[in-house]
Amino acid sequence: MAATPQLLCAYLAVGPDELKRKETVARLKARAAGPFEAFNLEEIEAGPDLEPLQLTTSLNTLPMGADCRIVVVHDADKLPKPVSEAIVSYLANPNPACTLCLTATTLAKSTRLYKAVAKVGPKAIIDCSAKKGRDLVPYIQKLARAHNLAISSDAASELAARVGESSTMLDTQLASLSALLGGGGNVDRGFVEKNVARIAEVKPWEFLDRLCQRDLVRSLQLLRLLEGNSAIGLVSLVTGRVRELICAQSLCARGESGRISAELKKQDWQTRNYARWAGNFRAGELEHLLAACAEADSALKSGADESATLTGLVTRMCGAA
């Protein structure tokens, strides 16, 4: 049987990924489980009323009937300055029988508290950054497996578009989908659309990506959800994407698709679909659509009906007009 890893005297779980922060705390709390758990585990919420002596007394208390005592301080980014400084001083000569776990949504690396925990060891800082971009879909698929679900990539993208990037919200929705399927199963985009309400604001890039796929129905749905945004601003975004696709199409025609990211000054993950999307348009079609964007912009600036103008442009982008 493998030996239980030795704990450090302090950890900092920092970042907006609430689920990962909770998992970190849960693993540490499990080390205090036993008949004396009530004595060997203390959780403290940071706040203006927290006193330095209250915390340092807890940290210097020896465990009872166990090898380790766990002290968890939530919202460490809200610690009063005297308490934060008391922790920095404590970490210079910590209680070897106690492990402090600080959690925070954000804490600058330049702060004395962050630096003091970082000096404890290379594993003392637990990165709880939120997953974004290309990392979000595989992260959702990993969360899904814990609920006995197999979720397709487009379903995972749709789920994120509907509930946002909060790991807690994503995990909660996946648990609900699993329950609907009787404890597990396969999840496709249609199942997500049918069973998950949209609570997250639509992001313009989601709309642009659907246009590039020439998905008329979905593009019009997202356009309606974007009502309230500047119509001229939306046309400007569409114009920019069309120009990018013209560049991508030109590079692909010369066999230089590998240069798309560099030419557009974007990260590879941001342009990974550009070559495929550019292939959705016939030669010369994107140039005509660029002209259509200019016409829509001019019409809007002349007082044309916003809904009709945007709908017409989306219809042309999707090849339905």
Side-chain angles (χ1 to χ4, degrees):
M1 182 175 178
T4 302
Q6 182 67 37
L7 294 177
L8 298 176
C9 67
Y11 295 93
L12 169 62
V14 58
D17 189 336
E18 183 183 4
L19 186 61
K20 187 171 182 180
R21 295 200 311 269
K22 287 181 176 179
E23 290 172 346
T24 298
V25 171
R27 286 195 299 270
L28 285 173
K29 287 170 66 174
R31 296 290 288 268
F36 299 103
E37 179 177 349
F39 183 85
N40 291 328
L41 172 65
E42 183 170 7
E43 291 192 76
I44 299 171
E45 293 289 339
D49 297 329
L50 183 60
E51 294 290 337
L53 183 60
Q54 174 190 348
L55 180 55
T56 55
T57 298
S58 180
L59 291 170
N60 284 306
T61 299
L62 294 174
M64 179 183 293
D67 296 329
C68 184
R69 175 175 163 81
I70 305 293
V71 176
V72 180
V73 179
H74 297 284
D75 298 324
D77 43 337
K78 300 177 183 177
L79 283 169
K81 184 69 172 178
V83 179
S84 176
E85 287 300 314
I87 294 175
V88 172
S89 298
Y90 163 80
L91 290 177
N93 184 28
N95 175 5
C98 181
T99 289
L100 167 65
C101 177
L102 302 168
T103 73
T105 302
T106 179
L107 188 67
K109 294 181 179 180
S110 59
T111 61
R112 283 170 51 78
L113 182 57
Y114 187 104
K115 292 178 179 179
V117 178
K119 288 174 70 173
V120 168
K123 296 183 178 181
I125 304 295
I126 300 170
D127 184 8
C128 299
S129 301
K131 298 295 187 294
K132 294 181 180 294
R134 62 179 177 181
D135 297 324
L136 188 56
V137 166
Y139 178 64
I140 292 173
Q141 291 174 320
K142 178 182 176 181
L143 290 178
R145 288 194 289 272
H147 297 287
N148 300 314
L149 294 174
I151 185 168
S152 64
S153 296
D154 60 339
S157 294
E158 183 65 26
L159 180 64
R162 286 174 176 262
V163 305
E165 298 171 348
S166 164
S167 57
T168 300
M169 288 296 298
L170 290 168
D171 191 61
T172 299
Q173 287 293 341
L174 288 167
S176 297
L177 294 177
S178 179
L180 286 172
L181 290 171
N186 297 317
V187 176
D188 59 17
R189 193 178 99 190
F191 191 71
V192 171
E193 291 175 339
K194 180 180 178 181
N195 294 288
V196 179
R198 178 179 286 277
I199 59 173
E201 184 178 339
V202 175
K203 294 180 173 61
W205 59 257
E206 183 185 355
F207 168 63
L208 295 175
D209 289 354
R210 290 298 178 182
L211 283 181
C212 292
Q213 295 170 46
R214 314 200 82 173
D215 183 341
L216 178 61
V217 173
R218 189 67 180 134
S219 295
L220 289 174
Q221 289 174 343
L222 293 173
L223 178 62
R224 285 195 293 272
L225 293 172
L226 283 167
E227 287 181 359
N229 287 268
S230 164
I232 292 176
L234 288 175
V235 170
S236 177
L237 290 174
V238 174
T239 302
R241 180 59 65 89
V242 171
R243 287 195 175 113
E244 290 174 346
L245 291 181
I246 290 173
C247 177
Q249 193 177 68
S250 176
L251 289 170
C252 289
R254 299 201 300 266
E256 300 177 350
S257 59
R259 292 181 50 212
I260 292 176
S261 297
E263 289 295 325
L264 296 179
K265 295 180 173 56
K266 292 178 176 286
Q267 299 295 317
D268 288 341
W269 65 268
Q270 294 176 300
T271 64
R272 67 181 182 276
N273 293 314
Y274 273 46
R276 176 167 56 84
W277 288 339
N280 291 334
F281 299 86
R282 300 184 303 276
E285 190 175 9
L286 286 167
E287 286 75 10
H288 283 106
L289 288 172
L290 189 60
C293 288
E295 292 170 5
D297 180 75
S298 178
L300 289 170
K301 290 176 179 176
S302 299
D305 181 86
E306 293 185 356
S307 179
T309 302
L310 288 172
T311 299
L313 180 59
V314 166
T315 302
R316 291 186 67 176
M317 277 289 297
C318 294

